[in-house]
Amino acid sequence: MHLVDQFVTRREQVATAGLSYLAREYPPVREVLGALSAVDPADRDRLLYRPEAVAADAQGRPDIVGERGGERWVVVEGKFWAKLTDAQPCGYLRGVSEGGVVLFLCPSSRIEPLCTELAERVRQEGLGFDEFTPDGTGLQVMTTSGRRHLVVASWPVLLRRIRAAAAGDFPQLDFEVDQLEGLVGRLEKELVEWSRAELEQGVTRGTFRKAVTTAELLFDGMDRDARTTRTGNPKWVDRNGVHFRARYAVGGLHLYVGYEPEKWSPDFPTPLTFGIWSPDVPQELKQPLHRAYSGLAARIWAASDFPGPGFTPAHEGATWWWGPIPVAADRPADETRARLTQGLDELLGTLDALR
């Protein structure tokens, strides 16, 4: 059960719960959220906010809902790196009143890809064809059918708006916003940035959580890539100390990305590994695939910030071909993500060319 506890990123839930609390307690927060919708300005302070709301005639379970007189005007969904659910955003949009707003809060580095994904879902569901437009203050805004607004913003942008609306007249609110800013700041950083010390020390409770979430970035890239198809159970499984989230087919080849804590050490400073289940490989492709795979794994490891044992490929007849995915140390979040994305693209390109 201790593994289950460490896989759960409860602080993400704490962030949205904290915002829900602020909306219930402080008029400036209600003003900021209500102003994103077309609700009568006189009614912004009268909206009642509640967390994880479910209505019989609405889809999904939004993190926060602001409503009045049975009408849902504001829906807030906090996203760090979790994927969109089936109800997002279209089920939420259908559940708000005409002129209502659905607000997604996410890390600044996720805004662009999240807007792309949300816009595509809106178009597929026939709820609108507009693009997201920046409003000049950090918000990305799209108007969908029924004058319902879809807005994407980073947590810092929203919290700055709240602080400006309070104008120093609510000292306790300023203190609460400070606390929430600290929380979401740590969440954004911990999800994608690694210090050298963390990579060298191996598994602790904090690094375990971060390793899982970093792996989720790769899974998200796998899910989005047109060259892959996810197969099997999408939940985390443990196979002899190697934790896998899902299996992906690239043509007839099966690729795994996972977390292997037993190998994580100062001499092997990466929590992430990938592998191919070689019995799935057609006999005529085994030799060229193994050669390409071995070269790719060696190049990925050579790009690591750490000296180490490198990569020693298993022999061609092995049942499992395995390699490390080094994580950048002491680098900005955008660079860490870019390096992971580049490595994944090269890996998939190699496999796709040999299928």
Side-chain angles (χ1 to χ4, degrees), residues 227-302:
R227 293 167 291 192
T228 69
T229 302
R230 190 172 66 185
T231 64
N233 192 335
K235 296 181 180 179
W236 278 92
V237 295
D238 178 3
R239 295 180 180 173
N240 299 319
V242 182
H243 303 275
F244 294 105
R245 172 81 188 292
R247 182 170 69 175
Y248 295 86
V250 183
L253 309 177
H254 286 148
L255 171 69
Y256 296 78
V257 175
Y259 164 65
E260 198 159 353
E262 290 184 0
K263 288 188 169 64
W264 191 2
S265 68
D267 292 330
F268 192 88
T270 177
L272 306 179
T273 61
F274 68 93
I276 296 174
W277 182 239
S278 59
D280 293 334
V281 180
Q283 189 63 38
E284 66 273 14
L285 284 183
K286 274 203 169 186
Q287 186 174 11
L289 177 61
H290 181 260
R291 184 166 54 247
Y293 177 87
S294 300
L296 172 64
R299 289 196 302 277
I300 291 177
W301 185 252

Side-chain angles (χ1 to χ4, degrees), residues 332-350:
D334 288 346
E335 182 177 343
T336 301
R337 188 177 302 104
R339 291 181 65 172
L340 287 173
T341 301
Q342 181 180 0
L344 176 63
D345 183 67
E346 185 177 1
L347 173 62
L348 295 178
T350 299

Side-chain angles (χ1 to χ4, degrees), residues 173-249:
L173 174 58
D174 289 338
F175 173 76
E176 303 278 11
V177 170
D178 284 342
Q179 302 303 304
L180 192 51
E181 280 180 335
L183 173 65
V184 297
R186 288 196 301 272
L187 275 170
E188 291 201 26
K189 181 176 180 180
E190 288 178 356
L191 294 182
V192 293
E193 292 184 12
W194 289 83
S195 70
R196 191 176 186 94
E198 287 174 322
L199 290 173
E200 288 180 331
Q201 71 188 359
V203 185
T204 66
R205 183 179 181 87
T207 59
F208 189 100
R209 182 186 61 253
K210 191 181 294 189
V212 170
T213 313
T214 307
E216 293 280 358
L217 290 177
L218 290 174
F219 301 147
D220 189 55
M222 291 280 219
D223 287 339
R224 294 170 181 271
D225 199 291
R227 293 167 291 192
T228 69
T229 302
R230 190 172 66 185
T231 64
N233 192 335
K235 296 181 180 179
W236 278 92
V237 295
D238 178 3
R239 295 180 180 173
N240 299 319
V242 182
H243 303 275
F244 294 105
R245 172 81 188 292
R247 182 170 69 175
Y248 295 86

Side-chain angles (χ1 to χ4, degrees), residues 29-39 44 47 49 74 101:
V29 183
R30 295 192 290 274
E31 173 64 26
V32 166
L33 293 176
L36 299 176
S37 74
V39 68
R44 291 173 186 169
L47 293 180
Y49 288 87
V74 177
V101 63

Side-chain angles (χ1 to χ4, degrees), residues 106-125:
C106 68
S108 56
S109 54
R110 193 185 179 186
I111 287 177
E112 183 177 349
L114 182 59
C115 285
T116 298
E117 186 174 3
L118 291 171
E120 180 59 27
R121 290 192 175 199
V122 167
R123 284 190 286 268
Q124 288 179 352
E125 293 287 328

